[in-house]
Each structure stands twice: as structure tokens, then as C-alpha cells.
Amino acid sequence: MADTTPETGPDAAAGTIYLADYTPPGWLIDKVELTFRLAPMATRVLSRIAFRPNPVAPEQPFFLHGEDLKLISAKIDGAEIAPDVTEKGLTCVVPARAFIFEAEVEIAPEGNTLLEGLYMSGDMYCTQCEAEGFRRITYYPDRPDVMAPFRVRIEGDAPVLLSNGNPAGEGPGWAEWDDPWPKPSYLFALVAGDLKAHSASFTTASGRDVALNVWVREADLGKCAFAMDSLIASMRWDEEVYGREYDLDIFNIVAVGDFNSGAMENKGLNIFNSKLVLASPETATDSDFEQVESVIAHEYFHNWTGNRITCRDWFQLSLKEGLTVFRDQCFTSDLRSAAVKRIEDAQIMRSMQFREDAGPLAHPVRPESFVEINNFYTRTVYEKGAEVIQMLHRLVGPEAYRKALDLYFERHDGEAATVEDWLRVFEDTTGRDLGQFKRWYRQAGTPRLKVSERYENGTYSLTLRQETPPTLGQPDKLPLHMPVAVGLLSPNGDEALPTQVLELTEAEQTFTFDGLGARPIPSILRGFSAPVIVERKSTAAEEAFLLAHDTDPFNRWEAGQALARRLLTDMIHDDAPSAHVYLGALGQVLAEPGLDPAFRALLLGLPGEDDLAAAEAAAGRKADPARIRAAREALKGQIAAMHGRALQRVYEENQVDGPYAPDAGQAGRRKLASAALALLTRQDGGAAARAQFAAADNMTLSIGALSALLSIGEGAAELATFEERWSDDALVMDMWFSMQVTHSAPEKAAETVERLTEHPAFTPKNPNRLRSVVGALAGNPAGFHAADGSGYRLLADWIIRMDKTNPQISARLSTAFQTWRRYGEARQKLIQAELARVAEAEGLSRDLGEMVGRMRGAA
Ligand code: TRP
Ligand code: ZN
């Protein structure tokens, strides 16, 4: 009977689920009532679910998902039944009309190491249901297109008992919650524990009062204010910019110490990795504060983009994630610096998403098949998905965008929607045909934008040619509809043509510009207007010119990066490197007084080791991580030697007086001072950094000083002081651990990880701690790719080990191997051997099996 459900259908052997196989659910749900009797090893879950046949669905057997559940009893319309139970779920015969299904099951949150479903973090109960965790709580059609109102009763000893929706009564040992808004099961949440609230209230634009709480352990109450401020700012912003109001009487956020990912948007009860809630000047860095702000916003924004309008199936994941990332990016650029935010987002795309698109894990923004959906919470679905919406926004303009969004909310509120629904609201409001644009959702791989140009008698013509390289299963790519923002500069540095958005739709198109007095210097892909790689023959002189004169901050920064990349590439290959153009240009930037410090800090940054490895591979060479490291270090030394005095001045001028604030202004100055300090350290042996560490009264300054010291092999005494001071603060200790790994000398990196895993404060059960030690290895490319294979071996050992308890984590760790093709034959062989060893591990999880299969399959 169960064999027409996707999990056990015709593709059961491969275990692959296909978008093309989508069928509507056979039954819909009018109401869900749940009772939890909490006990660590034997929680009882009683469910009462009102089903009715779905009139538009094809005939199908009645199937409810359920995994690792002990079924105590099941009833239909009050009469006991004996359903057919497998390890995937339950089937039974049901009447051809509406009926009530009831079940009682037993689960063991204490033994749940997956951190999915109902589990315990310390002595607190909590849940994580996205994507398919609810089936570990009770029998249910655990798919996002089944939406229902929930009523929940929790019985347990804990002082605080929370679930979704509005409070509906409480007494000693129990609480009830009522969520009137129909929702899919992945948005269900429950929390029970000894928690304290940092509370506030919010009055919506239409005058409704909403109670706001950030729930934490008592000891953390002093670290909640910033998260609360961020929540209030997010609520206001969504009203002002999207016209979206909050829709319940209460909004709860809970901080949890053990969490697989960042945070989760459960309706009215967001659950957060404590790292993304708790922040105080003493314990969190400026960048931690900024992350808290943006993730609080992200999860809040999901209330409309994800919850009120959800996804029809998991292939549509980017419908909520791409859109919500785009929304949180806009929020951050409104609150902080738009230029800096755009550059940072482009950096993430280029270092994290392009790598995915260029390797064996490449997949479209809307994948067409998967084995384990948890493996598709990727940079492609999230960040490239957001870039696709950024392009749409640019193509239709802000007013049409807002109109389209209004229509989206009006048309699809309360529904489980698709990418087609999303694009249709844009077509209906603008009259545009987005058929070609839709290819961005279907085609994997990073398009190349090849630029050539001509200048004759005042007329300049720009020929743009696009080409997307083949990816696995997609040998032939079609041209995309691409907004290319372009500006032209006169040789004297003036802007000859302000930014224009060229719409590229053909494989090749030529655009001409008349009336120019001289051959202009083009500024292509301003604002990173499309997630593509620009290929254009340019010169160091031209890059230096753009670094000095471009009015577009993104391209100005990009010109500096290109210049540095050019030099570093020569250094890597001993190819007569000549540093004077780059160093000269950098000197001018350092001296430019009016420039935003945060932007200046970005200009001062060299392309990362991983980006240089990607650039090597893109140029058809094999990347050598050791030489890349050496070249970057050498260039840092040269910068420090040549600009020591200017750096010293920048360092001094950007000290912040007065009380610490995590705002963009102060944070930018600290970032610039810290970038200067890291370079100065190469001249003064660490004297300034030691002084800063000793005097620091906030974590940004402490970490800045400590990492500057570690980067030159110093700082042992400071590390010890730091450890002693912070040994009882888990989040701060995570930084202590990870810093040592990322700054370790390459030949010692694996050894450092091994030593730290033996530290008494190390525990692999806590995902943050595991990521800060084992996960941090990939953040030290020269160390991870050590020629003797020690990094690979160590990571594979941990992947195999973690897979037995937490497959989501092991699968995620394995992605460090996805770039294997970039490296020389010796490294490739070492990696393949480790992947083979992982593939043969006993009891390999579906999560890890899929990842390793994909990475090996492309061998
Ligand atoms: N939906 C979450 C977000 O806002 C992502 C998420 C949280 C998640 N927990 C998860 C995804 C567990 C997969 C598994 O981005
Ligand atoms: Zn999200």
C-alpha cells in the first residue's frame, strides 16, 4: 500500500525524489490537536487530526510519515485500528469522507542525537522540524502543502512551556497554545525548560499590541537586548518596506545551545542557535552583532515569506529562502552601509556559491531531484536564489517590484506556492514575459560574461557574450536574461556615462554609445548586477584607474581585487611579479580621507586563499595551496614594509573613543583599525597587538589583537589568558578554538585540530564546538590541503564518526571536499581515497551517502 508514496515509490532503489513526480496530497487537514506528556526517555504524543479527502487529488492510499516512533494506539473516528507500519510510516484503510485520525506514540528526546524532531539541549526540550523532522514526533502527512491550524497542550515539569501561536491557557505543569494560521508541519515547534524572558512589546502599524520575548537561560539575560532591538527594527522595516504586519499576539524567540544550523522560523516561536541571539560587547564581536541582527530579521521576515505563503514542495525551497535572504540583505543595507553590504554579499557568492556551481555538487536554484533534502540548504538555494531576486528587482524596478509583491501576498496568502506562482505575479504586474528569466531557476553553473569593445569616432561599442559551462546532467545551456549594469569613465576620471542596465538576452549582443570625446574605460557589472564571472582583457593600469576613479563602490573594490589577484598570481608562479602598481594604488586608498572606514577595510583586504585557488583552476592550472599561502603572506609583508607609517596613522585615527556600540559607524572604524593592525604586526613583532589585547574592553578588540598575533605565530600567552578568562562562556570559547585552527601553520593544522579535540572543553555533540574545531580546518586552506594528506585524513575520520550520531553535520562537513578538482593529481588521489573510505563506512547515512556519491561520481 505504501508503495505509491515518493519515499517508497518506483525510485525507491535509488531513493531519489523528483520534482516531476509531484502529486497533490490525497487528504487535507482541517485541524490538528496535539498533547505532549514530556519525559526525557519516554515522551507521549497524542494526536487528533481532522482529515478530509482532497477533491482535486488523484486516487492514492492513505499514508502518514513516521520515523523512529513507537506506536501505542491508533483510531479512526474513535474506533481502534491496526495500521500497517513500516520504518517510513503508516498506512491504513480510511473512509471515503471526512474522519478523525487519532494516535498515541512514544518518543525519546533524550536519546535523539540527530537534533531533528524533539530533542534535548542540556535539560531543555526543543524541536527542529524543517525539513522533515515532524515525522519523528508523530504520524503525519509531513509535507509542506498540507497546512492546518494547530492546538497544542504541553504537560511537563519545566517552568516554561512554549509552542506556536497564541497562549490559550496554563496551569501548574501544563500550558496550551493555539495557532490559528494554517501551517505545514515543518513550522511546528515546542520548547520546554527553565528559561527566563527578556521582554518588550511592539505596536503594529494598525495598532495591535504584540508581546515580544527572547527566552534564554537566566545567566544569559544580560545578552538579549541587541536581539530584541533587532527584532523590533525588523518588524518596523517589514511594515514600512513591504507593508507586512505581524499576525499573532505574541512573538517568542528561544536561544538553544545545541542546534544544527543557524535559526528556524517556526510560526510565532523562532528557535535560534544561541550564537545568533546572545550578544554583549564583552563577549561578541562586531561581526557577531551584525549576524545576530540579520538572522533575527531573516527569521522574522519568514513570517510572510515562508509561513503565510509557504512552499508547495521542497524543490521550491528557494521560493522562501532566496526571497527571505534578499529581504534580509536589503534590511541590512538600509540599516548599515549599502555599498559594504553589497560587496560582502558578492564575496560570499564568489567564494561559497561559485565553488558549488563549479564542482560536483552543482545544482540549480530549483533542483529537480534529491535524495535527502537537508543536503539542499545550500549557497545556491539561499544566496544565488537571493541574487535571482536581486536581478528581478533590478529588471522591473522598485515600484513594480513592490506591486508584484503586493499581488503575491494577496493572491497566495495561506497557500503553498511554487516558483511559477512567484514569477507569474511579476508577469501579471509588469506585462513582461519572464519565460527566459526562469532559466535562472533551472540552469546550474556560473555564467561567463565575455566582454569585448571597439572605439571609433566617438562611438564606443560593447559586445557582451554569455556562456554557461556544462554541469552534471546539464551539458547544454541556454542564454539567460541578464541585467548588466554598466558605466563609462572618461580618461580624466569623470563619468562619461552614468550606470545603465543593459539587458542581455541573446548569447551575444552589442551595445553602442555615441558622442564620446575619447575612448572610455568601461565599468562592467556594477553592483554585481548578475551572479556571473566577467571575462575581459584588462591591464594593471586600467584596474588602478578604476580603483582610483570608479563611482560604483562594488567595481572600485573589484578593481583593487583584480589588481591584487594579478600580482598574487605572478607571485605564485614566480612570474616576474611587480608590486609597485598595486602598492601605489593601495597607498592612495589608505590616504583618501573621506572614504568610509568599512569600505576602506574591504579595499585593504587581499583575495582569500580559496578565491585564489578558484582563480588558478579557472585559468586551467592546478592550485597549490602552499604557494598561495606563501604569496599572500609575502604580499602582506610588502604592504606593511612599504606603508608602515600610513598604516600606523590609519590605526591611530580609527580608534573609537567612548562607550562601545555595535553600530555600522563604530564597527567600520574597528574593522579598518584591525586590518591595519594585522599588517602592522608584521613590522613590530606584535607589540601594538599585545598592547591592544591588554587594554581591550570589548571582544572585537580582543579577537582582533589575538588573531593578529596568531597570524605571525605569536600569542601563546594571550591565548592562555583568554582561555582562563572565558572558560565558562561556550560561545567565546568557540572562537578561542577556531582561531587556533584557522591561524595554525599549514604543516601543523591537522595536529592542532587533533590536540584541540583532546581539550577537556571539546565535545563533538555540540555542533558549534565541532564546527569551531573540526569544521574550522577547511577555513585554513593551506593546512587542510597539506601535501601529506593529514588534513584530509583527519576530516574523513570525523565525518565517519559524526555520521553515526548526526548525519546532517557529517554531510555538511563533507562539502569541504567538493573543490577536489582544483588541485594537482597527488592531492586529488588523496581526496578520492578518503571519499572512498567514507563511502565504505558501515551504516552510511542517506545524507552523507548522497553527498559522497555526488562528489565521487564526477571523478
Ligand atoms: N529555514 C531555516 C532558515 O531560516 C533553515 C534551517 C533551520 C534548517 N534549521 C534547519 C534547514 C535544519 C535544514 C535543517 O534558513
Ligand atoms: Zn531562511
Side-chain angles (χ1 to χ4, degrees), residues 265 298-299 302 321 382:
E265 69 263 26
H298 179 96
E299 305 310 332
H302 268 314
E321 295 303 349
Y382 276 65

Side-chain angles (χ1 to χ4, degrees), residues 220-257:
D220 292 326
L221 267 177
K223 301 182 187 168
C224 299
F226 186 76
M228 183 60 86
D229 291 348
S230 303
L231 174 61
I232 292 170
S234 310
M235 295 177 85
R236 197 57 77 205
W237 189 90
D238 215 15
E239 291 183 344
E240 285 170 359
V241 181
Y242 279 79
R244 296 292 117 196
E245 264 189 42
Y246 187 61
D247 54 2
L248 291 167
D249 303 336
I250 188 166
F251 189 81
N252 287 313
I253 288 175
V254 182
V256 174

Side-chain angles (χ1 to χ4, degrees), residues 128 130 259 261 263-265 298-299 302 320-321 374 377 382 808:
Q128 173 53 43
E130 187 176 7
F259 203 67
S261 71
M264 180 63 212
E265 69 263 26
H298 179 96
E299 305 310 332
H302 268 314
K320 74 176 176 81
E321 295 303 349
N374 281 326
Y377 287 74
Y382 276 65
Q808 274 188 48

Side-chain angles (χ1 to χ4, degrees), residues 180-201:
W181 300 104
K183 68 167 175 294
S185 50
Y186 82 86
L187 291 173
F188 169 81
L190 176 153
V191 169
D194 187 5
L195 296 164
K196 297 283 184 266
H198 174 106
S199 303
S201 73

